[in-house]
Amino acid sequence: MSTLRSILDRINDVEATIASVLRDGGTHPSVALRLSLESLENRRDMLKSEFIEVSQREFIDVCDYKLIPDDTNAYALSAVTTAWHDFQDILSLVFSSIRSGEPKASAKISQDVAETTRLNFGYAYAGSLGIVLTIPNDRFLLSQSQLDSAVQEVFKILESRSNADLVEVKSRFGTPVVRKLHSLSKAHSSYGLGADVKWLRDGLTVDEVTTQAPEFAEICRLIEDESDVTFDPQVIYGTLVAWNTKTKTFVLEGDNGEFVSGRWSEDFDGAVERTIPAPYRAELTKKTVVRYAEDRDIISWVLNKLD
């Protein structure tokens, strides 16, 4: 077992004991319990100092993600796990976008990116539901690492509060990042959970963002109200396999084996007889509606010309 893991495990044990003492003490703890709690807190502070020294020596960054309930002490498991998982995904996607130099078209990431951006569980702490995560990060004297840049951008993304902010996120890092932001925000807002997220290095806070549950709800609303529509003219060679003059619809099997179905355009000449099945050259318009809040694009086809 590494020195770092040993320290983290001991901090976990102390935090668990502190939580137990706090539960047993109630609102008016005895003198003995207060002394026990003081001793445990001193022990925790010593271990945290050791943790900072080791993380500094081994080039380890720290992420502290604390959940803030609105008026209850209940934490829905689905909300907790979804929020932390989405935070990890946003970091990985932003890092991947920065490395490739272009926005992400899909939520898939390479194994290399997954390993480079993997946040490791450090410990959970008492008094609230928060976790400390660790991640190796090289130090450069004259420049930032790509992970440094990704972390900075992630914290900016968590501060999104307007349509303009979301448009910038989408244009720079891709729709998958906006969708993950929506998922994270929904997990928080649906259960009345705010978040205080810190990124630390050598015991010092590098970045921090605090977002309350109503702010997460507003982020959800903004994303759900937004969508992009694109129109892409295409020519497809294939076999016409279905033709309906009443509904003005068609089905075409492309030479690549994929099926395309849709409706005629308003000025399409439907009076000409069509043979089914038979080979045709089709001029179409592919309409794509990208809804940020949904993990899919809505695609429809319009037939403009058929030869």
Side-chain angles (χ1 to χ4, degrees):
M1 179 183 296
S2 69
T3 302
L4 179 65
R5 186 67 260 171
S6 176
I7 295 172
L8 292 172
D9 287 344
R10 281 182 284 164
I11 294 177
N12 258 317
D13 292 341
V14 173
E15 289 285 3
T17 305
I18 290 175
S20 177
V21 170
L22 290 172
R23 286 194 303 270
D24 295 341
T27 56
H28 301 288
S30 65
V31 174
L33 278 176
R34 288 200 298 271
L35 291 174
S36 177
L37 184 61
E38 183 179 345
S39 175
L40 287 167
E41 290 173 343
N42 289 335
R43 173 61 175 162
R44 178 186 60 190
D45 292 342
M46 291 176 59
L47 288 170
K48 285 185 176 181
S49 296
E50 292 183 38
F51 171 48
I52 292 173
E53 291 177 5
V54 174
S55 64
Q56 185 175 9
R57 185 169 63 248
E58 298 185 4
F59 303 146
I60 302 293
D61 281 4
V62 175
C63 178
D64 185 322
Y65 198 121
K66 178 182 178 181
L67 298 174
I68 308 171
D70 49 7
D71 57 0
T72 69
N73 291 319
Y75 298 92
L77 179 61
S78 59
V80 173
T81 55
T82 298
W84 289 339
H85 186 275
D86 287 338
F87 179 80
Q88 169 70 84
D89 285 348
I90 291 173
L91 176 61
S92 298
L93 288 168
V94 170
F95 179 89
S96 179
S97 178
I98 290 175
R99 172 173 285 187
S100 66
E102 58 185 15
K104 292 289 292 180
S106 74
K108 293 182 179 180
I109 58 172
S110 67
Q111 184 64 31
D112 176 54
V113 169
E115 292 177 357
T116 303
T117 59
R118 185 183 66 200
L119 295 165
N120 302 299
F121 177 76
Y123 62 87
Y125 48 84
S128 59
L129 184 53
I131 56 172
V132 169
L133 306 164
T134 64
I135 184 171
N137 187 10
D138 292 333
R139 308 292 197 258
F140 298 96
L141 292 177
L142 302 178
S143 64
Q144 290 184 324
S145 68
Q146 288 184 326
L147 182 58
D148 289 333
S149 300
V151 168
Q152 286 186 356
E153 296 298 341
V154 168
F155 275 77
K156 290 179 183 177
I157 289 170
L158 293 177
E159 293 176 336
S160 297
R161 298 292 185 270
S162 68
N163 287 322
D165 293 336
L166 297 175
V167 169
E168 182 177 2
V169 173
K170 186 260 183 183
S171 63
R172 294 184 62 197
F173 305 111
T175 301
V177 175
V178 179
R179 286 173 172 162
K180 285 296 179 181
L181 177 61
H182 176 266
S183 178
L184 180 148
S185 301
K186 192 172 184 65
H188 276 279
S189 61
S190 296
Y191 294 93
L193 294 174
D196 180 42
V197 188
K198 298 178 183 177
W199 197 272
L200 304 102
R201 176 175 298 169
D202 305 336
L204 302 176
T205 300
V206 177
D207 280 297
E208 180 177 9
V209 58
T210 300
T211 306
Q212 302 298 331
E215 293 175 310
F216 278 122
E218 178 62 11
I219 295 173
C220 283
R221 186 193 66 78
L222 290 173
I223 295 176
E224 289 166 2
D225 288 346
E226 285 293 315
S227 63
D228 280 344
V229 181
T230 59
F231 297 92
D232 180 22
Q234 294 193 16
V235 174
I236 295 179
Y237 293 86
T239 301
L240 186 66
V241 296
W243 187 256
N244 192 316
T245 56
K246 291 184 177 180
T247 60
K248 298 183 178 181
T249 56
F250 71 95
V251 178
L252 182 73
E253 182 183 6
D255 289 343
N256 58 3
E258 296 183 0
F259 287 86
V260 171
S261 62
R263 303 181 65 85
W264 306 350
S265 65
E266 292 183 1
D267 56 355
F268 179 81
D269 183 6
V272 180
E273 291 186 6
R274 309 293 175 179
T275 303
I276 299 174
Y280 282 91
R281 173 187 180 276
E283 295 182 12
L284 308 111
T285 299
K286 180 182 180 182
K287 177 183 177 181
T288 304
V289 179
V290 179
R291 292 193 175 278
Y292 295 150
E294 300 177 19
D295 195 18
R296 65 185 180 90
D297 298 338
I298 301 172
I299 297 174
S300 59
W301 295 86
V302 175
L303 179 63
N304 303 310
K305 188 177 181 181
L306 191 64
D307 299 320

